[in-house]
Amino acid sequence: MKKIDDKYFIKDNKVNYNPSIDLVLTSDETILWKGKPRKLSFILSNIFKFLPFAIIWLIFDITAIVMIFKFMSEIPLPAIIFIVFFFILHLLPVWLWISSLITASRRQKVEEYAFTGNRIIIKSGFIGANISSINYSSISSVNLKIGLVERLCKVGDIYIVADNKKYILEDIKDPYFIYERLQKIANDIKSDIIYPNNYRPKENYGYKTSYNPKEVDKINKKDK
């Protein structure tokens, strides 16, 4: 099935998705776009994100452990037990990095994003699922970041700030296209709220905006 919004999203969506996002939609919501992180980029990003820090931390601790072992015969048993537990805790950043690598594939499978006519929905998690909703009118900034891994995998990260909270749509395909469309939706809806044009009579849905959820719904129904 092909869903099209000729005002915002005009590309085919051929990926099969977990239906959980569809289950949280209200009766009057229309999906404009759905996506999820690209697996290869998501896993590589988790590998390289804290790799330099983890290596430096690990080298520091290994060096300290080797130095301590040189004097192991002179150290009493209670002190040895304390040292062991100390380094287990001190290596926490390394354990967190390893945990991030182990869980990356599962988190990528769960993570999913959707833009509807009313809001942005973000599904994330590892064992369960966390659902976050962002109203377009609350968005204060939208930024795009494309690092080396993202560039090689032809994806990008979209950073959204809304109500003083930061949200990330990670490793999205067609990042420039999605970024530009999201900017347009947010600007159109904010303009619609600030300049309602005589409370939006039927012949005029908003202040110089092309956003019209009723028209989107008509297009989607025709494609079914």
Side-chain angles (χ1 to χ4, degrees):
M1 189 195 315
K2 182 180 177 185
K3 292 187 176 182
I4 301 178
D5 169 12
D6 62 355
K7 304 294 193 305
Y8 294 104
F9 298 100
I10 58 175
K11 298 199 174 186
D12 292 340
N13 197 343
K14 298 179 181 178
V15 183
N16 293 321
Y17 294 98
N18 186 304
S20 59
I21 276 188
D22 298 311
L23 295 176
V24 301
L25 299 177
T26 60
S27 58
D28 62 340
E29 272 189 297
T30 300
I31 290 180
L32 307 179
W33 172 85
K34 273 204 299 189
K36 63 190 292 95
R38 185 178 178 187
K39 188 171 185 178
L40 176 61
S41 177
F42 189 85
I43 293 175
L44 288 177
S45 295
N46 277 272
I47 291 174
F48 294 113
K49 189 177 294 182
F50 299 109
L51 179 60
F53 178 77
I55 290 176
I56 292 171
W57 197 276
L58 188 61
I59 290 173
F60 175 83
D61 277 14
I62 289 176
T63 302
I65 291 169
V66 170
M67 295 296 292
I68 291 171
F69 264 93
K70 289 184 177 181
F71 303 97
M72 185 66 72
S73 59
E74 302 174 12
I75 302 175
L77 182 60
I80 293 175
I81 295 173
F82 172 79
I83 291 169
V84 169
F85 278 102
F86 171 81
F87 278 105
I88 289 175
L89 292 175
H90 197 260
L91 284 167
L92 182 61
V94 178
W95 306 140
L96 291 175
W97 175 68
I98 293 172
S99 174
S100 177
L101 301 186
I102 294 172
T103 62
S105 180
R106 172 61 182 169
R107 287 185 288 112
Q108 183 274 337
K109 186 177 181 179
V110 172
E111 196 145 330
E112 194 175 2
Y113 318 118
F115 296 167
T116 77
N118 303 330
R119 56 181 170 152
I120 299 170
I121 303 173
I122 299 175
K123 180 170 76 76
S124 60
F126 172 56
I127 298 176
N130 301 316
I131 306 290
S132 300
S133 294
I134 308 169
N135 292 324
Y136 294 117
S137 58
S138 68
I139 295 175
S140 56
S141 70
V142 179
N143 298 293
L144 175 63
K145 181 180 179 182
I146 300 178
L148 179 59
V149 172
E150 289 80 13
R151 187 178 296 277
L152 292 173
C153 296
K154 298 181 180 180
V155 296
D157 298 337
I158 296 177
Y159 289 76
I160 301 169
V161 177
D163 293 327
N164 296 319
K165 295 181 180 179
K166 182 183 287 186
Y167 304 87
I168 306 176
L169 310 184
E170 297 186 72
D171 303 299
I172 294 296
K173 295 179 182 179
D174 298 317
Y176 291 102
F177 173 76
I178 301 302
Y179 170 72
E180 188 272 332
R181 294 294 89 182
L182 177 55
Q183 288 274 30
K184 181 170 176 54
I185 294 175
N187 290 336
D188 277 2
I189 290 179
K190 283 186 177 182
S191 298
D192 205 29
I193 293 171
I194 298 171
Y195 305 102
N197 276 2
N198 298 322
Y199 301 103
R200 292 189 294 172
K202 291 182 179 179
E203 65 274 12
N204 191 339
Y205 285 91
Y207 176 76
K208 295 182 180 178
T209 66
S210 58
Y211 173 75
N212 182 350
K214 292 183 180 179
E215 290 300 320
V216 176
D217 192 48
K218 287 179 184 177
I219 293 169
N220 288 332
K221 286 180 180 178
K222 288 179 181 178
D223 286 327
K224 287 183 179 181

